[in-house]
Amino acid sequence: MNRRSLFALIVTAMALVAAPATAQEALPRVAFQTSAGTFTVEVDTVRAPITATNFLRYVDEGRFEGTTFYRAMAGRPDLGLIQGGTNNDPERVLPPIAHEPTTQTGLSHTDGVISMARWDPGTATGDFTIMVGDNTYLDGRPGGQDDDAGYAAFGRVIQGMEVVRAILAAPRSATEGEGVMRGQMLEPRIEIQRVWRLD
């Protein structure tokens, strides 16, 4: 092998080694401006592509702007979740999406994770929850059906968790809400004023 061929081989090898790092694209980031402050979410389009794409469509079409965070479920001040989004508004919701369980995506409902709210698997539309503390009981179980299928995590808060915690601690109505949600409805609601991509 001559010197020129050897040099070409080395350059090709170096390019192949470097390729994974340069080819990897940054995950989309979305900012939420609310009446309680602003936070940023990183959306995992790689591990949860169906759920993430659905969420980004709501963002891009402005369907979250003017909605609210309306629910705060707190076991302790440092443990629980907040819920917001379209709240089944027929003018805002898009068709339901297929369920992407955590057993498939490898994600988990740990502190700061954002996940789709739903009734049965495959009914998620435009409502989401954000974890405060670890709520891994919301993860899917292998072969799980119904509630055992868990919820579809698809990203994480990367900046502004203090705002999420403030929403969790916001005042709640003692009487509003049905069933297990009684006493979990925020009063007043936290307005979602603006939602936009940072990329």
Side-chain angles (χ1 to χ4, degrees), residues 1 17 25 40 43 56-57 81 98 111 183 198-199:
M1 179 181 294
V17 169
E25 295 181 18
T40 302
V43 182
L56 291 172
R57 183 178 172 192
L81 59 82
D111 189 45
L198 295 176
D199 53 336

Side-chain angles (χ1 to χ4, degrees), residues 52-73:
T53 298
N54 175 70
F55 178 79
L56 291 172
R57 183 178 172 192
Y58 277 87
V59 171
D60 294 341
E61 295 182 6
R63 293 175 182 269
F64 289 138
E65 294 185 4
T67 63
T68 63
F69 283 100
Y70 53 85
R71 179 185 177 212
M73 183 185 79

Side-chain angles (χ1 to χ4, degrees), residues 6 14 18 37 46 76-77 88 135:
L6 180 60
M14 289 174 63
V46 175
R76 305 192 308 257
N88 299 314
N135 292 281

Side-chain angles (χ1 to χ4, degrees), residues 165-179:
R165 291 188 175 92
I167 295 172
L168 183 70
R172 296 185 291 274
S173 167
T175 57
E176 191 180 357
E178 298 179 8

Side-chain angles (χ1 to χ4, degrees), residues 35-46:
S35 54
T38 301
F39 63 88
T40 302
V41 173
E42 187 174 71
V43 182
D44 199 331
T45 52
V46 175

Side-chain angles (χ1 to χ4, degrees), residues 54 58 64 68 70 83-89 93 115-118 124-129 154:
N54 175 70
Y58 277 87
F64 289 138
T68 63
Y70 53 85
Q83 184 169 335
T86 59
N87 201 7
N88 299 314
D89 180 347
V93 295
S115 180
M116 292 307 296
R118 63 165 177 82
T125 55
D127 290 81
F128 57 89
T129 58
F154 63 94

